[in-house]
Amino acid sequence: MDSRMVESYACGRWHRATDEGRAVISPVDGAEVARVSSTGLDVAAMAAYGRETGGPALAALTFHERAAALKALGLTLMAGKAEFYAESARTGATERDSAVDIDGGFGTLLSYASKAKRELPNDVIHLDGPVEQLGKKGTFVARHVHTSRRGVAVQINAYNFPVWGFLEKLAPAFIAGVPTIVKPATQTAYLTELVFRRIIESGLLPEGSVQLLCGDPAPLLDALGGQDSVAFTGSAHTAATLRAHPAIVANSVHFTAEADSLNASVLGAGVTTDAPEFELYVKQLTTEMTVKAGQKCTAIRRALVPEPMVDAVIEAARARLDRVVVGAPGAEGVTMGPVVSLSQRTDVLAAVDKLRGAADLVVGDPDRVAVVGGDAETGAYLPPMLLRSTDPEAPEVHEIEAFGPVATVIGYRDTAHAVELIARGGGSLVASLVTADPQLAREVLLGIAPYHGRLLVLNAEDARESTGHGSPLPVLVHGGPGRAGGGEELGGIRGVLHHMQRTAIQGTPEVLAAATGQWVTGAPRTEGAEHPFRKSLAELRLGDTIVGGPRTVTLADIGHFADFTGDTFYAHTDPEAAAANPLFGGIVAHGYLVVSLAAGLFVDPAPGPVLANFGVDSLRFLTPVRADDALTVTLTAKQITPRSGADYGEVRWDAVVTNQDGAPVATYDVLTLVAKTRDGGEA
Ligand code: NDP
């Protein structure tokens, strides 16, 4: 295959550099694969274009519409993934490695699309937390809201995940309504560019919502302001440089970094060699060493093992590592490819040399690596290398990261010692503990959670379903404190909110309702002649209200409900015992009876636009209901969410049940599905 010039996609067109650019050499055979340069590109203009073209285009879409675009994109890319696999092999990735990057990336788009549709409103504003009542009379209230920032989300990525790396950052930013500029690492930019080309060709994302910068991002950083953000993945050194960039400091640009870390995996005390957890531990260790030739920010670098188990773990790992076949991706039997470049190979070997100051190399010899189907001279091949620490406290093993197929086994005395050693990593992305003992798990987790973004407890029970130590998941937080960069990505909707500004809005309930699109207690209610259940989604308005009751609750009602449901708890059935209850002092109605009676008071029975009741939220019983109390229910349309692609939507109703004194007895939200029109079609 010929070398090709990698282009950038900027300001609505593809840009080819005006010089020859930097050559990218394949680690498989030393052949030139691509050239990369941004010479001649008006990089600073990309930020303005994103803000002025991409931003408004995204702002015109609701969370649900953005989710639909992401879903369509994920499915389109997935259908054409064969060509990405072919290109990925040139980066040194085996098929298994490519699956993590390519399928993992497209899966992240789909996961975000589905999360956004289920967990965000069909709107452009996200509400954060409950209404805060600030004045005694309820005329002055407040609520926190999230709105999309008006800047660009710049992502600067590492070489090791040319597909997943940019999609895991793009998906949450896109859902948040913020345009993205992708800067891939030069070494693997050709694969990112290929996927990007297919994204642009699909026409599924609004123009300006994504741009690609292959080459030097420096002029772009100078153009960033307070609405922009930078999300960096790569070395701790570059992270520190970028964090201190003058424009980032001067304009308080949101900056997050995900840097390399010395992730630990602990074999729990008490696991014997014949326990299933022993094999799980060793298998996980060797898998993490060899997937992507160990070039994963989440890979295990420190294997913490009870001192008496060190020999057994090393021998079991050796048996597995001896079976690893190093060579060109796709060649017969190859299970581990090269690292990404010759210079990365040199870096890994230098790090191993430093580690050898505090550890012995016990598996793998870098001078004698059998290579299948590749060129051992011009390719960047390494064997898996396992070290055994000679001094568990030595700083080398906790500070030096060999970003390749390398891990160090460290013996620990007891659990407290293991916790203390893990903390010496200075903050990591992930740690795993292999144990079947829940109490041990709690002890270790309490000790090490403050140093980690994610923790996995693995044992025979969850192993089959476990996604593994090294896999960041779209729904879980990815990032870590300190050495790991201090940033946080993904985590489901949390990742979306990173791109939005949280603002406290203060005002009257009416203003808050209008501003947030959600009715607030104290805002006007409209009690019309027509029952709100007779109204379609198109006709219903926030504040539409029905008041039902009063309905007197009798002792017979309570007894009947107890017999009928079998809920004969003494407070509803035994006058003497109920009298002794310090909260009730006598027979009280079941909370569920109150809710059921309330439904009987507000429901309109005839067939109509209301299709179903799919649950209640935030149900609280506030005042006990006794025989002869009279209940009134007030039901108010609180939030109306049409579902895109369906002929119905969701209506959230505020329900308040009061007694004859006006005291609230129960409060909750009733959730219903309502047709968009009276005849059941789209509005
Ligand atoms: P770098 O930190 O050098 O590069 C990461 C990204 O930053 C690349 O896109 C790079 O672009 C860009 N970059 C580098 N310097 C600057 C700068 N001054 N201004 C703006 N952007 C810059 O990491 P490498 O990819 O070279 O890997 C080096 C080490 O980083 C590895 O050996 C490993 O230890 C660690 N690493 C950590 C990863 C993680 O996931 N946390 C992933 C990969 C590596 P360009 O490629 O064009 O130079």
PDB file of all heavy atoms in Angstrom, residues 428-463:
ATOM      1  N   SER A 428      -4.340   6.798  39.953  1.00  0.00           N
ATOM      2  CA  SER A 428      -4.398   5.960  38.751  1.00  0.00           C
ATOM      3  C   SER A 428      -5.802   5.958  38.153  1.00  0.00           C
ATOM      4  O   SER A 428      -6.766   6.353  38.799  1.00  0.00           O
ATOM      5  CB  SER A 428      -4.014   4.514  39.086  1.00  0.00           C
ATOM      6  OG  SER A 428      -2.705   4.466  39.619  1.00  0.00           O
ATOM      7  N   LEU A 429      -5.855   5.472  36.911  1.00  0.00           N
ATOM      8  CA  LEU A 429      -7.159   5.408  36.239  1.00  0.00           C
ATOM      9  C   LEU A 429      -8.014   4.300  36.823  1.00  0.00           C
ATOM     10  O   LEU A 429      -9.213   4.460  37.018  1.00  0.00           O
ATOM     11  CB  LEU A 429      -6.952   5.148  34.742  1.00  0.00           C
ATOM     12  CG  LEU A 429      -6.211   6.245  33.998  1.00  0.00           C
ATOM     13  CD1 LEU A 429      -5.844   5.778  32.599  1.00  0.00           C
ATOM     14  CD2 LEU A 429      -7.076   7.497  33.922  1.00  0.00           C
ATOM     15  N   VAL A 430      -7.381   3.149  37.072  1.00  0.00           N
ATOM     16  CA  VAL A 430      -8.160   1.977  37.474  1.00  0.00           C
ATOM     17  C   VAL A 430      -7.299   1.050  38.319  1.00  0.00           C
ATOM     18  O   VAL A 430      -6.075   1.004  38.156  1.00  0.00           O
ATOM     19  CB  VAL A 430      -8.691   1.249  36.211  1.00  0.00           C
ATOM     20  CG1 VAL A 430      -7.592   0.918  35.237  1.00  0.00           C
ATOM     21  CG2 VAL A 430      -9.476  -0.021  36.562  1.00  0.00           C
ATOM     22  N   ALA A 431      -7.954   0.330  39.206  1.00  0.00           N
ATOM     23  CA  ALA A 431      -7.295  -0.769  39.911  1.00  0.00           C
ATOM     24  C   ALA A 431      -8.280  -1.919  39.976  1.00  0.00           C
ATOM     25  O   ALA A 431      -9.491  -1.706  39.907  1.00  0.00           O
ATOM     26  CB  ALA A 431      -6.886  -0.359  41.321  1.00  0.00           C
ATOM     27  N   SER A 432      -7.737  -3.128  40.083  1.00  0.00           N
ATOM     28  CA  SER A 432      -8.635  -4.263  40.267  1.00  0.00           C
ATOM     29  C   SER A 432      -8.181  -5.084  41.459  1.00  0.00           C
ATOM     30  O   SER A 432      -6.993  -5.107  41.803  1.00  0.00           O
ATOM     31  CB  SER A 432      -8.697  -5.121  39.005  1.00  0.00           C
ATOM     32  OG  SER A 432      -7.415  -5.532  38.618  1.00  0.00           O
ATOM     33  N   LEU A 433      -9.159  -5.698  42.087  1.00  0.00           N
ATOM     34  CA  LEU A 433      -8.907  -6.570  43.221  1.00  0.00           C
ATOM     35  C   LEU A 433      -9.565  -7.896  42.893  1.00  0.00           C
ATOM     36  O   LEU A 433     -10.736  -7.922  42.521  1.00  0.00           O
ATOM     37  CB  LEU A 433      -9.537  -5.963  44.481  1.00  0.00           C
ATOM     38  CG  LEU A 433      -9.631  -6.891  45.698  1.00  0.00           C
ATOM     39  CD1 LEU A 433      -8.245  -7.219  46.236  1.00  0.00           C
ATOM     40  CD2 LEU A 433     -10.469  -6.240  46.803  1.00  0.00           C
ATOM     41  N   VAL A 434      -8.815  -8.975  42.997  1.00  0.00           N
ATOM     42  CA  VAL A 434      -9.392 -10.282  42.713  1.00  0.00           C
ATOM     43  C   VAL A 434      -9.569 -11.005  44.036  1.00  0.00           C
ATOM     44  O   VAL A 434      -8.601 -11.366  44.699  1.00  0.00           O
ATOM     45  CB  VAL A 434      -8.506 -11.076  41.732  1.00  0.00           C
ATOM     46  CG1 VAL A 434      -9.167 -12.403  41.388  1.00  0.00           C
ATOM     47  CG2 VAL A 434      -8.270 -10.268  40.457  1.00  0.00           C
ATOM     48  N   THR A 435     -10.822 -11.146  44.415  1.00  0.00           N
ATOM     49  CA  THR A 435     -11.154 -11.777  45.693  1.00  0.00           C
ATOM     50  C   THR A 435     -12.611 -12.201  45.681  1.00  0.00           C
ATOM     51  O   THR A 435     -13.437 -11.585  44.998  1.00  0.00           O
ATOM     52  CB  THR A 435     -10.937 -10.810  46.879  1.00  0.00           C
ATOM     53  OG1 THR A 435     -11.219 -11.502  48.094  1.00  0.00           O
ATOM     54  CG2 THR A 435     -11.836  -9.592  46.813  1.00  0.00           C
ATOM     55  N   ALA A 436     -12.901 -13.243  46.491  1.00  0.00           N
ATOM     56  CA  ALA A 436     -14.300 -13.636  46.656  1.00  0.00           C
ATOM     57  C   ALA A 436     -14.808 -13.172  48.019  1.00  0.00           C
ATOM     58  O   ALA A 436     -15.898 -13.523  48.430  1.00  0.00           O
ATOM     59  CB  ALA A 436     -14.421 -15.153  46.528  1.00  0.00           C
ATOM     60  N   ASP A 437     -14.015 -12.363  48.706  1.00  0.00           N
ATOM     61  CA  ASP A 437     -14.338 -11.956  50.077  1.00  0.00           C
ATOM     62  C   ASP A 437     -14.851 -10.505  50.095  1.00  0.00           C
ATOM     63  O   ASP A 437     -14.075  -9.559  49.958  1.00  0.00           O
ATOM     64  CB  ASP A 437     -13.043 -12.086  50.911  1.00  0.00           C
ATOM     65  CG  ASP A 437     -13.233 -11.622  52.349  1.00  0.00           C
ATOM     66  OD1 ASP A 437     -14.288 -11.031  52.655  1.00  0.00           O
ATOM     67  OD2 ASP A 437     -12.321 -11.854  53.160  1.00  0.00           O
ATOM     68  N   PRO A 438     -16.162 -10.313  50.276  1.00  0.00           N
ATOM     69  CA  PRO A 438     -16.723  -8.948  50.213  1.00  0.00           C
ATOM     70  C   PRO A 438     -16.161  -8.023  51.282  1.00  0.00           C
ATOM     71  O   PRO A 438     -16.008  -6.824  51.045  1.00  0.00           O
ATOM     72  CB  PRO A 438     -18.226  -9.159  50.420  1.00  0.00           C
ATOM     73  CG  PRO A 438     -18.472 -10.608  50.189  1.00  0.00           C
ATOM     74  CD  PRO A 438     -17.199 -11.328  50.496  1.00  0.00           C
ATOM     75  N   GLN A 439     -15.850  -8.563  52.472  1.00  0.00           N
ATOM     76  CA  GLN A 439     -15.326  -7.684  53.524  1.00  0.00           C
ATOM     77  C   GLN A 439     -13.923  -7.188  53.182  1.00  0.00           C
ATOM     78  O   GLN A 439     -13.586  -6.023  53.411  1.00  0.00           O
ATOM     79  CB  GLN A 439     -15.311  -8.415  54.877  1.00  0.00           C
ATOM     80  CG  GLN A 439     -16.692  -8.548  55.500  1.00  0.00           C
ATOM     81  CD  GLN A 439     -17.484  -7.237  55.461  1.00  0.00           C
ATOM     82  OE1 GLN A 439     -16.968  -6.165  55.786  1.00  0.00           O
ATOM     83  NE2 GLN A 439     -18.727  -7.318  55.016  1.00  0.00           N
ATOM     84  N   LEU A 440     -13.131  -8.079  52.586  1.00  0.00           N
ATOM     85  CA  LEU A 440     -11.799  -7.667  52.137  1.00  0.00           C
ATOM     86  C   LEU A 440     -11.945  -6.599  51.043  1.00  0.00           C
ATOM     87  O   LEU A 440     -11.206  -5.603  51.018  1.00  0.00           O
ATOM     88  CB  LEU A 440     -11.024  -8.877  51.594  1.00  0.00           C
ATOM     89  CG  LEU A 440      -9.657  -8.538  51.003  1.00  0.00           C
ATOM     90  CD1 LEU A 440      -8.701  -8.092  52.099  1.00  0.00           C
ATOM     91  CD2 LEU A 440      -9.064  -9.728  50.258  1.00  0.00           C
ATOM     92  N   ALA A 441     -12.926  -6.807  50.178  1.00  0.00           N
ATOM     93  CA  ALA A 441     -13.156  -5.842  49.102  1.00  0.00           C
ATOM     94  C   ALA A 441     -13.434  -4.461  49.681  1.00  0.00           C
ATOM     95  O   ALA A 441     -12.858  -3.455  49.256  1.00  0.00           O
ATOM     96  CB  ALA A 441     -14.319  -6.298  48.228  1.00  0.00           C
ATOM     97  N   ARG A 442     -14.281  -4.420  50.712  1.00  0.00           N
ATOM     98  CA  ARG A 442     -14.602  -3.113  51.303  1.00  0.00           C
ATOM     99  C   ARG A 442     -13.347  -2.477  51.915  1.00  0.00           C
ATOM    100  O   ARG A 442     -13.103  -1.283  51.751  1.00  0.00           O
ATOM    101  CB  ARG A 442     -15.692  -3.278  52.367  1.00  0.00           C
ATOM    102  CG  ARG A 442     -16.059  -1.967  53.033  1.00  0.00           C
ATOM    103  CD  ARG A 442     -17.220  -2.094  53.981  1.00  0.00           C
ATOM    104  NE  ARG A 442     -17.269  -0.968  54.898  1.00  0.00           N
ATOM    105  CZ  ARG A 442     -17.890   0.175  54.660  1.00  0.00           C
ATOM    106  NH1 ARG A 442     -18.531   0.340  53.527  1.00  0.00           N
ATOM    107  NH2 ARG A 442     -17.877   1.161  55.526  1.00  0.00           N
ATOM    108  N   GLU A 443     -12.558  -3.292  52.596  1.00  0.00           N
ATOM    109  CA  GLU A 443     -11.346  -2.760  53.239  1.00  0.00           C
ATOM    110  C   GLU A 443     -10.394  -2.157  52.191  1.00  0.00           C
ATOM    111  O   GLU A 443      -9.900  -1.034  52.350  1.00  0.00           O
ATOM    112  CB  GLU A 443     -10.653  -3.912  53.983  1.00  0.00           C
ATOM    113  CG  GLU A 443      -9.498  -3.461  54.847  1.00  0.00           C
ATOM    114  CD  GLU A 443      -8.796  -4.661  55.502  1.00  0.00           C
ATOM    115  OE1 GLU A 443      -9.380  -5.760  55.541  1.00  0.00           O
ATOM    116  OE2 GLU A 443      -7.639  -4.467  55.948  1.00  0.00           O
ATOM    117  N   VAL A 444     -10.195  -2.892  51.109  1.00  0.00           N
ATOM    118  CA  VAL A 444      -9.278  -2.396  50.072  1.00  0.00           C
ATOM    119  C   VAL A 444      -9.884  -1.169  49.375  1.00  0.00           C
ATOM    120  O   VAL A 444      -9.208  -0.159  49.163  1.00  0.00           O
ATOM    121  CB  VAL A 444      -8.964  -3.510  49.043  1.00  0.00           C
ATOM    122  CG1 VAL A 444      -8.140  -2.959  47.893  1.00  0.00           C
ATOM    123  CG2 VAL A 444      -8.213  -4.648  49.726  1.00  0.00           C
ATOM    124  N   LEU A 445     -11.163  -1.258  49.063  1.00  0.00           N
ATOM    125  CA  LEU A 445     -11.783  -0.143  48.329  1.00  0.00           C
ATOM    126  C   LEU A 445     -11.750   1.144  49.142  1.00  0.00           C
ATOM    127  O   LEU A 445     -11.474   2.228  48.595  1.00  0.00           O
ATOM    128  CB  LEU A 445     -13.218  -0.483  47.928  1.00  0.00           C
ATOM    129  CG  LEU A 445     -13.384  -1.692  47.009  1.00  0.00           C
ATOM    130  CD1 LEU A 445     -14.795  -1.760  46.450  1.00  0.00           C
ATOM    131  CD2 LEU A 445     -12.375  -1.692  45.881  1.00  0.00           C
ATOM    132  N   LEU A 446     -12.027   1.030  50.443  1.00  0.00           N
ATOM    133  CA  LEU A 446     -11.983   2.255  51.254  1.00  0.00           C
ATOM    134  C   LEU A 446     -10.580   2.846  51.261  1.00  0.00           C
ATOM    135  O   LEU A 446     -10.403   4.060  51.298  1.00  0.00           O
ATOM    136  CB  LEU A 446     -12.421   1.951  52.688  1.00  0.00           C
ATOM    137  CG  LEU A 446     -13.925   1.798  52.885  1.00  0.00           C
ATOM    138  CD1 LEU A 446     -14.241   1.442  54.327  1.00  0.00           C
ATOM    139  CD2 LEU A 446     -14.646   3.077  52.480  1.00  0.00           C
ATOM    140  N   GLY A 447      -9.572   1.962  51.183  1.00  0.00           N
ATOM    141  CA  GLY A 447      -8.191   2.448  51.189  1.00  0.00           C
ATOM    142  C   GLY A 447      -7.764   3.079  49.887  1.00  0.00           C
ATOM    143  O   GLY A 447      -7.026   4.066  49.867  1.00  0.00           O
ATOM    144  N   ILE A 448      -8.241   2.537  48.760  1.00  0.00           N
ATOM    145  CA  ILE A 448      -7.660   2.995  47.485  1.00  0.00           C
ATOM    146  C   ILE A 448      -8.607   3.799  46.600  1.00  0.00           C
ATOM    147  O   ILE A 448      -8.152   4.436  45.651  1.00  0.00           O
ATOM    148  CB  ILE A 448      -7.076   1.820  46.668  1.00  0.00           C
ATOM    149  CG1 ILE A 448      -8.179   0.866  46.183  1.00  0.00           C
ATOM    150  CG2 ILE A 448      -6.034   1.059  47.476  1.00  0.00           C
ATOM    151  CD1 ILE A 448      -7.646  -0.216  45.243  1.00  0.00           C
ATOM    152  N   ALA A 449      -9.901   3.808  46.903  1.00  0.00           N
ATOM    153  CA  ALA A 449     -10.832   4.552  46.038  1.00  0.00           C
ATOM    154  C   ALA A 449     -10.425   6.020  45.850  1.00  0.00           C
ATOM    155  O   ALA A 449     -10.523   6.547  44.741  1.00  0.00           O
ATOM    156  CB  ALA A 449     -12.264   4.437  46.560  1.00  0.00           C
ATOM    157  N   PRO A 450      -9.946   6.708  46.870  1.00  0.00           N
ATOM    158  CA  PRO A 450      -9.578   8.122  46.658  1.00  0.00           C
ATOM    159  C   PRO A 450      -8.474   8.329  45.617  1.00  0.00           C
ATOM    160  O   PRO A 450      -8.294   9.435  45.129  1.00  0.00           O
ATOM    161  CB  PRO A 450      -9.076   8.570  48.039  1.00  0.00           C
ATOM    162  CG  PRO A 450      -9.674   7.612  49.006  1.00  0.00           C
ATOM    163  CD  PRO A 450      -9.792   6.317  48.277  1.00  0.00           C
ATOM    164  N   TYR A 451      -7.784   7.254  45.277  1.00  0.00           N
ATOM    165  CA  TYR A 451      -6.693   7.379  44.304  1.00  0.00           C
ATOM    166  C   TYR A 451      -7.102   6.924  42.909  1.00  0.00           C
ATOM    167  O   TYR A 451      -6.244   6.823  42.036  1.00  0.00           O
ATOM    168  CB  TYR A 451      -5.492   6.536  44.771  1.00  0.00           C
ATOM    169  CG  TYR A 451      -4.956   6.969  46.118  1.00  0.00           C
ATOM    170  CD1 TYR A 451      -5.400   6.375  47.284  1.00  0.00           C
ATOM    171  CD2 TYR A 451      -4.032   7.998  46.208  1.00  0.00           C
ATOM    172  CE1 TYR A 451      -4.932   6.790  48.529  1.00  0.00           C
ATOM    173  CE2 TYR A 451      -3.557   8.415  47.431  1.00  0.00           C
ATOM    174  CZ  TYR A 451      -4.008   7.815  48.589  1.00  0.00           C
ATOM    175  OH  TYR A 451      -3.542   8.240  49.801  1.00  0.00           O
ATOM    176  N   HIS A 452      -8.359   6.621  42.711  1.00  0.00           N
ATOM    177  CA  HIS A 452      -8.766   6.009  41.440  1.00  0.00           C
ATOM    178  C   HIS A 452     -10.078   6.560  40.900  1.00  0.00           C
ATOM    179  O   HIS A 452     -10.944   6.992  41.650  1.00  0.00           O
ATOM    180  CB  HIS A 452      -8.926   4.487  41.610  1.00  0.00           C
ATOM    181  CG  HIS A 452      -7.635   3.802  41.877  1.00  0.00           C
ATOM    182  ND1 HIS A 452      -7.120   3.668  43.144  1.00  0.00           N
ATOM    183  CD2 HIS A 452      -6.725   3.243  41.034  1.00  0.00           C
ATOM    184  CE1 HIS A 452      -5.952   3.054  43.081  1.00  0.00           C
ATOM    185  NE2 HIS A 452      -5.689   2.793  41.802  1.00  0.00           N
ATOM    186  N   GLY A 453     -10.198   6.454  39.564  1.00  0.00           N
ATOM    187  CA  GLY A 453     -11.476   6.795  38.921  1.00  0.00           C
ATOM    188  C   GLY A 453     -12.383   5.589  38.783  1.00  0.00           C
ATOM    189  O   GLY A 453     -13.586   5.721  38.653  1.00  0.00           O
ATOM    190  N   ARG A 454     -11.803   4.403  38.767  1.00  0.00           N
ATOM    191  CA  ARG A 454     -12.624   3.185  38.590  1.00  0.00           C
ATOM    192  C   ARG A 454     -11.948   2.024  39.314  1.00  0.00           C
ATOM    193  O   ARG A 454     -10.723   1.934  39.316  1.00  0.00           O
ATOM    194  CB  ARG A 454     -12.748   2.870  37.082  1.00  0.00           C
ATOM    195  CG  ARG A 454     -13.559   1.615  36.752  1.00  0.00           C
ATOM    196  CD  ARG A 454     -13.918   1.563  35.253  1.00  0.00           C
ATOM    197  NE  ARG A 454     -12.769   1.455  34.390  1.00  0.00           N
ATOM    198  CZ  ARG A 454     -12.168   0.311  34.045  1.00  0.00           C
ATOM    199  NH1 ARG A 454     -12.648  -0.832  34.489  1.00  0.00           N
ATOM    200  NH2 ARG A 454     -11.110   0.311  33.254  1.00  0.00           N
ATOM    201  N   LEU A 455     -12.764   1.176  39.924  1.00  0.00           N
ATOM    202  CA  LEU A 455     -12.251  -0.009  40.620  1.00  0.00           C
ATOM    203  C   LEU A 455     -13.062  -1.223  40.200  1.00  0.00           C
ATOM    204  O   LEU A 455     -14.288  -1.151  40.119  1.00  0.00           O
ATOM    205  CB  LEU A 455     -12.368   0.163  42.143  1.00  0.00           C
ATOM    206  CG  LEU A 455     -11.563   1.301  42.775  1.00  0.00           C
ATOM    207  CD1 LEU A 455     -11.907   1.430  44.260  1.00  0.00           C
ATOM    208  CD2 LEU A 455     -10.070   1.063  42.612  1.00  0.00           C
ATOM    209  N   LEU A 456     -12.374  -2.313  39.945  1.00  0.00           N
ATOM    210  CA  LEU A 456     -13.047  -3.552  39.565  1.00  0.00           C
ATOM    211  C   LEU A 456     -12.759  -4.609  40.627  1.00  0.00           C
ATOM    212  O   LEU A 456     -11.601  -4.827  40.980  1.00  0.00           O
ATOM    213  CB  LEU A 456     -12.509  -4.026  38.205  1.00  0.00           C
ATOM    214  CG  LEU A 456     -12.732  -5.500  37.840  1.00  0.00           C
ATOM    215  CD1 LEU A 456     -14.209  -5.780  37.587  1.00  0.00           C
ATOM    216  CD2 LEU A 456     -11.927  -5.869  36.600  1.00  0.00           C
ATOM    217  N   VAL A 457     -13.801  -5.248  41.135  1.00  0.00           N
ATOM    218  CA  VAL A 457     -13.615  -6.396  42.024  1.00  0.00           C
ATOM    219  C   VAL A 457     -14.037  -7.633  41.241  1.00  0.00           C
ATOM    220  O   VAL A 457     -15.193  -7.770  40.849  1.00  0.00           O
ATOM    221  CB  VAL A 457     -14.443  -6.263  43.320  1.00  0.00           C
ATOM    222  CG1 VAL A 457     -14.170  -7.459  44.227  1.00  0.00           C
ATOM    223  CG2 VAL A 457     -14.114  -4.964  44.032  1.00  0.00           C
ATOM    224  N   LEU A 458     -13.073  -8.484  41.013  1.00  0.00           N
ATOM    225  CA  LEU A 458     -13.293  -9.640  40.136  1.00  0.00           C
ATOM    226  C   LEU A 458     -13.274 -10.921  40.961  1.00  0.00           C
ATOM    227  O   LEU A 458     -12.427 -11.092  41.833  1.00  0.00           O
ATOM    228  CB  LEU A 458     -12.163  -9.667  39.104  1.00  0.00           C
ATOM    229  CG  LEU A 458     -12.231 -10.711  38.003  1.00  0.00           C
ATOM    230  CD1 LEU A 458     -13.389 -10.418  37.056  1.00  0.00           C
ATOM    231  CD2 LEU A 458     -10.920 -10.744  37.218  1.00  0.00           C
ATOM    232  N   ASN A 459     -14.215 -11.808  40.671  1.00  0.00           N
ATOM    233  CA  ASN A 459     -14.182 -13.142  41.278  1.00  0.00           C
ATOM    234  C   ASN A 459     -14.948 -14.106  40.388  1.00  0.00           C
ATOM    235  O   ASN A 459     -15.434 -13.715  39.313  1.00  0.00           O
ATOM    236  CB  ASN A 459     -14.727 -13.124  42.716  1.00  0.00           C
ATOM    237  CG  ASN A 459     -16.142 -12.584  42.782  1.00  0.00           C
ATOM    238  OD1 ASN A 459     -16.951 -12.847  41.894  1.00  0.00           O
ATOM    239  ND2 ASN A 459     -16.430 -11.825  43.826  1.00  0.00           N
ATOM    240  N   ALA A 460     -15.040 -15.356  40.841  1.00  0.00           N
ATOM    241  CA  ALA A 460     -15.631 -16.389  39.986  1.00  0.00           C
ATOM    242  C   ALA A 460     -17.073 -16.054  39.619  1.00  0.00           C
ATOM    243  O   ALA A 460     -17.559 -16.438  38.552  1.00  0.00           O
ATOM    244  CB  ALA A 460     -15.559 -17.735  40.689  1.00  0.00           C
ATOM    245  N   GLU A 461     -17.746 -15.300  40.493  1.00  0.00           N
ATOM    246  CA  GLU A 461     -19.156 -15.049  40.228  1.00  0.00           C
ATOM    247  C   GLU A 461     -19.382 -14.039  39.108  1.00  0.00           C
ATOM    248  O   GLU A 461     -20.279 -14.199  38.286  1.00  0.00           O
ATOM    249  CB  GLU A 461     -19.831 -14.564  41.519  1.00  0.00           C
ATOM    250  CG  GLU A 461     -21.342 -14.609  41.416  1.00  0.00           C
ATOM    251  CD  GLU A 461     -22.007 -14.145  42.701  1.00  0.00           C
ATOM    252  OE1 GLU A 461     -21.397 -14.264  43.784  1.00  0.00           O
ATOM    253  OE2 GLU A 461     -23.141 -13.645  42.607  1.00  0.00           O
ATOM    254  N   ASP A 462     -18.567 -12.978  39.054  1.00  0.00           N
ATOM    255  CA  ASP A 462     -18.817 -11.958  38.019  1.00  0.00           C
ATOM    256  C   ASP A 462     -17.880 -12.088  36.807  1.00  0.00           C
ATOM    257  O   ASP A 462     -17.996 -11.337  35.839  1.00  0.00           O
ATOM    258  CB  ASP A 462     -18.766 -10.531  38.606  1.00  0.00           C
ATOM    259  CG  ASP A 462     -17.387 -10.144  39.160  1.00  0.00           C
ATOM    260  OD1 ASP A 462     -16.430 -10.890  38.946  1.00  0.00           O
ATOM    261  OD2 ASP A 462     -17.289  -9.080  39.808  1.00  0.00           O
ATOM    262  N   ALA A 463     -16.961 -13.064  36.860  1.00  0.00           N
ATOM    263  CA  ALA A 463     -15.927 -13.120  35.816  1.00  0.00           C
ATOM    264  C   ALA A 463     -16.511 -13.273  34.408  1.00  0.00           C
ATOM    265  O   ALA A 463     -16.044 -12.639  33.461  1.00  0.00           O
ATOM    266  CB  ALA A 463     -14.963 -14.262  36.107  1.00  0.00           C
TER     267      ALA A 463
END
